[in-house]
Amino acid sequence: MIFEQILLQIFHNFNQERTISAPFHLLKGKRSGQTIQDVGIYHLHKFFSILPKLSRPHYDEKLNSLIEEHYLIVHDEGSYELTDSAREFVKDGEKYYFNGWYYRGNEHIFFARLSLIVQSLSHHGAGRMSFTPIQKDDHIQHWVRQFLLINQYKEGNLQKTLLDEIVGSLESSKVEERAKSIVINRLAGFQTAGLTWQQISYQENLSEMDVQLIYISTLHSWITQISNHPEQYLLLNQLAKDIRVVIPLSGSAHQTAELFRKGYLIEEISHIRRLKVSTIEDHIVEIAMNDPDFSIEQFISKEDIKKVMTAVDDYNTRKLKILHEVVPHLSYFQIRLVLARGE
Amino acid sequence: MELEKVLQHHFGYTSFRPGQKEVIEQIVKGKDVIALLPTGMGKSLCYQLPGYIFNKPVLIISPLLSLMQDQVDQIKQLKEKRVVALNSFLNATQKKVTIQHLHQYRFIFISPEMLLQPQVQQKLNSMELSLIVVDEAHCISQWGFDFRPDYLRIGEVMDKANRPPILALSATATQKVLGDIESYLKMNEPFTFIHTVDRPNIHMGRVLFQNREEKLDWILEHVLETAGPGIIYTQSRSKTESISERLLQMGISTAAYHGGKDTLDRQFIQQQFIDGSLEWIVATNAFGMGVHKQNVRQIIHESIPSNVANYMQEIGRAGRDGKDALAILLFADGDDEFAKFVGIDDFPNEVHVDLYLEYRRRNESPSTMIQNGEISETAYRVLDYWMHQIHPNEVKHQLLTMKTDKIRAVEEVVNLIRTKSCMREKLVHYFGQNLMEKPSDCCECCGLDYHNIIQKRESFEQDETAVSWKKRLETILLGFS
Ligand SMILES: Nc1ncnc2c1ncn2[C@@H]1O[C@H](COP(=O)(O)OP(=O)(O)OP(=O)(O)O)[C@@H](O)[C@H]1O
Ligand SMILES: [Mg+2]
Ligand SMILES: [Zn+2]
């Protein structure tokens, strides 16, 4: 269900301008110019790389069932269109938060660290000094060992502090209760095995794919919640370290982004960097395209954003020149910002 | 030296199991050894203990990555830090560092692919080893069942003049395989210890069906009425899923297990099975190695195994505690044809040989065949190995022979199933041994009443109230202190 909704949403955003394979590459996080550009143009940051292991047969199978259920009509030349029932269906899926562009699968590293820490602390609490670690990766094992030493696990308070942090941060995360259960059910400890995907799927009456999507979505919101409160969740913030991917901007845009973050205005940055204002504006557009959390409302009002979007719809175009004729009171820069966001 | 003292000190066991002492004594004397001990009898100890007698590293060649991980974990549990696994999981830097420090370890696990790499060879040549172990040595035989070309090449590195003794370990090997092990590994008049393959506490049942579809109903009914814990073996991943789904719907705590499951899932299943919260596992033959559960009471084969040795391995997971257990094979007409098809489906043929030559002629790498979808990766490995060993015409012949062998292996299983005399006797004969004594309720042919062996299933009410996530987390973190 959720998977189908996500697929349709991606198709919806692509606005019939991409092939039937484009969502597949997006979900797998293909590092090609086309896919990366599409992320910005069609505002698909959420879904980039959330299913790196998705197989083509599985994708095709889902695609076929969407066609059979009359959500999607595929024409002979390979173009497609969404039906009205699809548009309704899509809305339901929007409640799941994803931030694939930022996390790129690293949420699994966060969870691996967490699961080995929890398993270790559970055994330590039970007085068991040796056990078979459920995370086999050397990097993870090494990292966790350091973590336990730095946080003085031997004193015996770590269990309680960690428990409080996990409960506190999960409680204030905006996700459903069953989603929290799914994540916690994947943890194991002394004499406590975790639940398999099959078991959770049976318990929740969801497909395994949907369970995994909810799991990923929950990790994304949770880690975001943790990172937004660094002083409140001291331990969990250590786990969340280096989990977000630094936004892959071009070198020069990156420097602009740094200065902008420090509070400099476009003109000032242009002066400091001895670059033309238009170049700095290019950078800002690139940042807006790559960073979904970057607010463009600091450059253009909500109403004007709407006006540009309406123009895009009315004239069914993304050509700057035409749009500028429709909303002449806005600069090219402002229009480009709106297009960069695709909304 | 008193071996019992070393055993007690490092492993905490009071006595050796049959075969262990005999094997270790010979190794200590410097002799090559072939040891055939049934699954779960403690083959690992045969090289672990010498590791504490010698002052030089023990090198263990191990065919399966997951198995290697289990063995490393097992040794680490003994508080041994000087153990390392050299396999394709390592990245370039990890690999380099590991190789550099190789001589400092007590136990070095290595995959056959790694063993053949020049850097590894160079390092191994510059250091001294106390013992070379080839685990699951039946893989080495070209007539063996899990054909692994890299395994065959181990022999190439065994050729040195002053090499340490070699220990070849296996649970199942026919006379033919035994001979192959000895010659491929270039062993020097090895001492051979063969434990009897018969497991008198495992009773061998068999049920015949008109068609394959009837099996599922039989399984559902049987599982509902009789007690586990048990394993149902079937041939495909999708079947493990669909059968387990049906059992779950009937309220039987079950899990599907196959090579495609993620690592956490696999560990959760093993742990749940061992702690008793899972009654049944529905698995492909990927399940078993490295799982040490003592009280498995039933094994059901939904599909026939591809050869007798696999059958032996798989039923051997039952009754390790020495108490009675039941193994039932379900057979329908046409199963053998299907098993043959599956067996040779992923095998190179004449066309592939020609294609390979064609690529060579065009000065292209033949491995492009894989990318072009003309051959599977496993099939290519087999083909590539032989193309380097013998003339192309001979390769065609060789492949044909191997294919025939696979088909014959399936037929041997069918013979075992169709026999009117004693299944146990037939099985033991297959491994070149004689059956001394038949237990009561021996097998389907000799007369076997399942109810004498297994219990009725007590339908225990499962606790349906799921604990809240907070409670669960609290139990894990604070519940045991
Ligand atoms: N002398 C002994 N006394 C008690 N337990 C032992 C002894 N030797 C081995 N064991 C235990 O028996 C179990 C099985 O050992 P091991 O893994 O070596 O079996 P194996 O023969 O290699 O089986 P497989 O064919 O499945 O690989 C282990 O848990 C091991 O600790
Ligand atoms: Mg073993
Ligand atoms: Zn018999």
Side-chain angles (χ1 to χ4, degrees):
Chain A
M1 263 329 224
I2 303 168
F3 184 57
E4 282 88 342
Q5 281 162 342
I6 288 175
L7 266 184
L8 287 175
Q9 199 171 340
I10 297 172
F11 275 120
H12 177 73
N13 280 25
F14 272 142
N15 194 27
Q16 326 198 356
E17 291 172 5
R18 287 290 177 270
T19 66
I20 207 100
S21 302
F24 176 72
H25 298 310
L26 178 83
L27 288 167
K28 284 195 72 106
K30 190 176 174 194
R31 301 283 197 273
S32 76
Q34 180 72 62
T35 303
I36 304 273
Q37 269 179 26
D38 283 353
V39 167
I41 298 174
Y42 298 103
H43 198 60
L44 287 164
H45 303 86
K46 291 175 75 167
F47 303 125
F48 182 75
S49 193
I50 57 173
L51 292 174
K53 288 188 191 147
L54 181 64
S55 76
R56 188 72 204 210
H58 195 108
Y59 176 77
D60 288 341
E61 184 191 311
K62 289 293 171 191
L63 216 53
N64 284 331
S65 70
L66 287 179
I67 296 168
E68 269 165 32
E69 287 162 44
H70 305 291
Y71 288 123
L72 195 63
I73 300 168
V74 178
H75 302 297
D76 287 344
E77 348 73 78
S79 65
Y80 65 87
E81 65 188 86
L82 293 192
T83 63
D84 286 342
S85 50
R87 284 173 223 284
E88 279 304 301
F89 187 54
V90 163
K91 287 204 188 97
D92 266 8
E94 284 171 359
K95 66 178 175 209
Y96 291 102
Y97 171 91
F98 286 98
N99 200 339
W101 187 251
Y102 258 142
Y103 294 120
R104 306 251 173 127
N106 287 353
E107 65 274 9
H108 298 294
I109 298 179
F110 170 85
F111 186 80
R113 290 171 178 172
L114 180 70
S115 95
L116 188 52
I117 290 170
V118 167
Q119 191 203 14
S120 308
L121 289 177
S122 179
H123 280 83
H124 188 256
R128 283 297 176 89
M129 292 311 150
S130 78
F131 57 91
T132 306
I134 51 175
Q135 298 294 337
K136 309 296 182 192
D137 184 287
D138 272 349
H139 291 295
I140 300 288
Q141 290 188 1
H142 179 78
W143 193 95
V144 168
R145 226 172 276 134
Q146 289 312 107
F147 173 92
L148 292 172
L149 287 173
I150 291 169
N151 294 288
Q152 305 175 335
Y153 73 101
K154 282 195 178 150
E155 302 198 342
N157 307 322
L158 200 49
Q159 282 89 340
K160 180 82 177 79
T161 325
L162 185 65
L163 176 68
D164 290 345
E165 282 197 18
I166 297 177
V167 171
S169 53
L170 266 181
E171 274 185 335
S172 47
S173 295
K174 287 194 205 70
V175 289
E176 340 158 74
E177 282 301 292
R178 72 165 176 186
K180 297 170 189 171
S181 298
I182 291 176
V183 170
I184 300 301
N185 276 332
R186 294 292 288 173
L187 293 172
F190 176 67
Q191 291 182 353
T192 320
L195 297 191
T196 66
W197 295 121
Q198 192 191 22
Q199 287 167 330
I200 298 175
S201 125
Y202 189 78
Q203 195 170 300
E204 301 291 339
N205 202 11
L206 291 165
S207 73
E208 282 188 38
M209 179 63 115
D210 282 358
V211 170
Q212 291 180 18
L213 283 166
I214 295 179
Y215 166 85
I216 291 165
S217 156
T218 311
L219 287 180
H220 285 181
S221 338
W222 187 22
I223 302 170
T224 307
Q225 173 71 13
I226 291 165
S227 316
N228 287 343
H229 299 88
E231 11 20 70
Q232 212 169 326
Y233 309 120
L234 290 173
L235 294 173
L236 290 177
N237 264 285
Q238 297 176 46
L239 272 72
K241 196 165 176 295
D242 301 328
I243 293 301
R244 274 198 173 202
V245 173
V246 182
I247 314 161
L249 293 173
S250 63
S252 184
H254 187 72
Q255 288 176 30
T256 297
E258 288 296 294
L259 290 169
F260 192 81
R261 201 161 292 140
K262 287 186 186 144
Y264 291 98
L265 301 173
I266 293 187
E267 288 74 20
E268 291 171 325
I269 299 174
S270 147
H271 188 71
I272 296 170
R273 300 202 54 201
R274 293 161 203 262
L275 291 169
K276 279 193 280 187
V277 167
S278 65
T279 309
I280 305 299
E281 285 178 351
D282 285 346
H283 292 164
I284 301 288
V285 172
E286 192 181 334
I287 297 166
M289 192 180 259
N290 283 297
D291 181 355
D293 291 343
F294 182 88
S295 164
I296 63 167
E297 283 167 32
Q298 42 194 328
F299 301 104
I300 173 170
S301 72
K302 266 206 175 92
E303 285 123 70
D304 281 336
I305 294 177
K306 260 209 198 101
K307 278 184 191 150
V308 177
M309 292 315 289
T310 318
V312 170
D313 281 346
D314 288 352
Y315 294 84
N316 194 21
T317 184
R318 297 175 84 85
K319 288 213 177 83
L320 281 176
K321 208 153 174 291
I322 301 174
L323 293 173
H324 190 56
E325 279 170 26
V326 184
V327 282
H329 68 290
L330 297 175
S331 69
Y332 277 98
F333 171 56
Q334 288 172 309
I335 299 173
R336 283 168 65 209
L337 278 176
V338 179
L339 291 182
R341 297 315 284 270
E343 58 183 0
Chain B
M1 165 165 1
E2 240 205 278
L3 293 179
E4 274 83 2
K5 282 216 177 102
V6 187
L7 180 72
Q8 173 86 48
H9 181 73
H10 287 282
F11 302 89
Y13 301 140
T14 41
S15 61
F16 284 105
R17 292 215 180 132
Q20 289 178 332
K21 192 171 182 188
E22 292 85 337
V23 168
I24 294 169
E25 275 172 350
Q26 296 296 322
I27 293 173
V28 174
K29 276 193 215 155
K31 273 198 78 81
D32 287 350
V33 179
I34 301 179
L36 304 186
L37 296 171
T39 28
M41 272 293 273
K43 284 186 282 297
S44 315
L45 191 97
C46 298
Y47 61 79
Q48 286 170 351
L49 192 143
Y52 293 96
I53 297 177
F54 300 122
N55 277 323
K56 287 173 271 176
V58 176
L59 181 76
I60 305 116
I61 307 165
S62 188
L64 282 179
L65 288 180
S66 57
L67 192 64
M68 197 185 290
Q69 190 58 54
D70 281 336
Q71 288 161 328
V72 171
D73 284 343
Q74 215 180 25
I75 291 185
K76 281 190 176 159
Q77 289 243 30
L78 296 167
K79 291 267 158 54
E80 176 58 66
K81 293 216 163 61
R82 286 163 56 198
V83 51
V84 72
L86 201 54
N87 57 37
S88 51
F89 280 158
L90 301 179
N91 64 33
T93 9
Q94 287 172 326
K95 200 173 110 187
K96 209 172 134 207
V97 175
T98 309
I99 293 175
Q100 235 164 37
H101 297 279
L102 212 54
H103 57 280
Q104 294 167 356
Y105 291 98
R106 193 188 295 278
F107 299 105
I108 304 165
F109 286 86
I110 192 166
S111 63
E113 304 84 79
M114 274 294 165
L115 183 68
L116 296 165
Q117 293 190 358
Q119 317 96 287
V120 178
Q121 282 290 305
Q122 206 177 8
K123 177 69 187 181
L124 287 176
N125 283 333
S126 75
M127 58 189 264
E128 282 187 86
L129 295 169
S130 63
L131 176 67
I132 298 175
V133 183
V134 181
D135 203 2
E136 309 291 339
H138 55 273
C139 295
I140 211 161
S141 166
Q142 52 170 304
W143 315 108
F145 314 107
D146 314 300
F147 181 78
R148 287 190 180 76
D150 290 320
Y151 232 65
L152 269 180
R153 288 187 185 151
I154 298 174
E156 294 170 18
V157 305
M158 296 293 183
D159 223 358
K160 277 170 275 167
N162 53 349
R163 64 157 174 79
I166 296 173
L167 167 65
L169 294 170
S170 179
T172 40
T174 60
Q175 291 299 319
K176 167 99 187 81
V177 176
L178 215 57
D180 282 343
I181 292 175
E182 184 174 339
S183 69
Y184 273 107
L185 294 180
K186 306 193 168 79
M187 295 176 94
N188 184 13
E189 292 173 21
F191 168 78
T192 305
F193 185 93
I194 303 180
H195 190 279
T196 165
V197 292
D198 182 42
R199 297 274 307 276
N201 63 322
I202 300 177
H203 304 265
M204 300 162 62
R206 172 199 63 198
V207 185
L208 303 176
F209 296 86
Q210 291 297 325
N211 57 58
R212 322 192 68 211
E213 286 66 44
E214 294 166 8
K215 288 182 188 172
L216 184 60
D217 287 334
W218 184 94
I219 290 176
L220 298 181
E221 199 183 315
H222 179 83
V223 166
L224 206 54
E225 282 173 3
T226 62
I231 307 170
I232 297 170
Y233 281 106
T234 182
Q235 88 278 8
S236 73
R237 291 178 180 185
S238 60
K239 264 207 155 155
T240 65
E241 300 283 355
S242 63
I243 297 175
S244 65
E245 205 73 25
R246 292 294 298 274
L247 292 175
L248 277 170
Q249 282 160 7
M250 299 195 322
I252 290 164
S253 139
T254 316
Y257 188 104
H258 53 72
K261 294 270 171 191
D262 76 20
T263 24
L264 272 189
D265 269 8
R266 275 190 267 180
Q267 296 180 80
F268 292 163
I269 294 171
Q270 292 186 11
Q271 199 178 343
Q272 291 177 16
F273 194 47
I274 286 170
D275 74 24
S277 48
L278 271 179
E279 292 176 71
W280 287 86
I281 288 187
V282 189
T284 60
N285 59 10
F287 184 77
M289 290 213 218
V291 180
H292 301 293
K293 183 175 171 65
Q294 300 299 311
N295 64 336
V296 175
R297 295 272 76 87
Q298 295 201 54
I299 307 280
I300 295 174
H301 277 91
E302 194 271 342
S303 330
I304 59 170
S306 53
N307 56 62
V308 176
N310 278 2
Y311 177 64
M312 189 71 221
Q313 288 254 2
E314 286 161 12
I315 67 171
R317 319 240 183 265
R320 292 198 176 179
D321 52 8
K323 296 182 189 148
D324 281 336
L326 181 60
I328 305 177
L329 224 159
L330 310 185
F331 185 77
D333 289 331
D335 276 0
D336 41 345
E337 292 312 313
F338 191 72
K340 283 177 197 168
F341 171 76
V342 171
I344 59 173
D345 186 37
D346 197 22
F347 210 70
N349 57 39
E350 289 189 15
V351 181
H352 292 124
V353 177
D354 292 334
L355 215 53
Y356 191 101
L357 293 172
E358 181 67 28
Y359 275 92
R360 260 195 198 161
R361 205 163 28 242
R362 289 196 306 237
N363 267 330
E364 282 179 60
S365 161
S367 65
T368 331
M369 290 164 75
I370 306 173
Q371 281 102 58
N372 294 345
E374 289 161 330
I375 193 171
S376 78
E377 225 178 301
T378 26
Y380 179 79
R381 264 193 291 147
V382 177
L383 177 64
D384 188 56
Y385 171 78
W386 288 108
M387 292 302 280
H388 281 93
Q389 297 293 312
I390 48 183
H391 187 272
N393 281 334
E394 288 174 314
V395 174
K396 287 185 184 176
H397 180 74
Q398 175 68 25
L399 292 177
L400 210 63
T401 323
M402 290 169 75
K403 211 179 236 182
T404 326
D405 282 344
K406 278 188 173 243
I407 291 174
R408 186 177 314 135
V410 173
E411 276 160 4
E412 280 164 349
V413 178
V414 175
N415 287 342
L416 179 70
I417 298 170
R418 291 209 189 275
T419 185
K420 297 226 162 38
S421 56
C422 173
M423 294 172 75
R424 183 180 307 275
E425 202 157 45
K426 193 111 188 147
L427 188 62
V428 170
H429 277 170
Y430 177 83
F431 294 100
Q433 299 181 3
N434 286 316
L435 188 62
M436 299 304 169
E437 199 181 345
K438 287 185 193 174
S440 55
D441 285 298
C442 167
C443 70
E444 201 76 48
C445 302
C446 299
L448 164 60
D449 182 353
Y450 297 169
H451 299 293
N452 291 341
I453 311 300
I454 46 176
Q455 309 283 317
K456 255 181 106 85
R457 176 171 184 266
E458 312 273 336
S459 60
F460 52 90
E461 280 303 304
Q462 281 198 13
D463 195 6
E464 287 293 330
T465 49
V467 272
S468 78
W469 62 269
K470 276 179 249 179
K471 191 82 206 118
R472 177 164 203 276
L473 190 64
E474 195 183 317
T475 313
I476 292 177
L477 279 171
L478 306 179
F480 306 104
S481 41

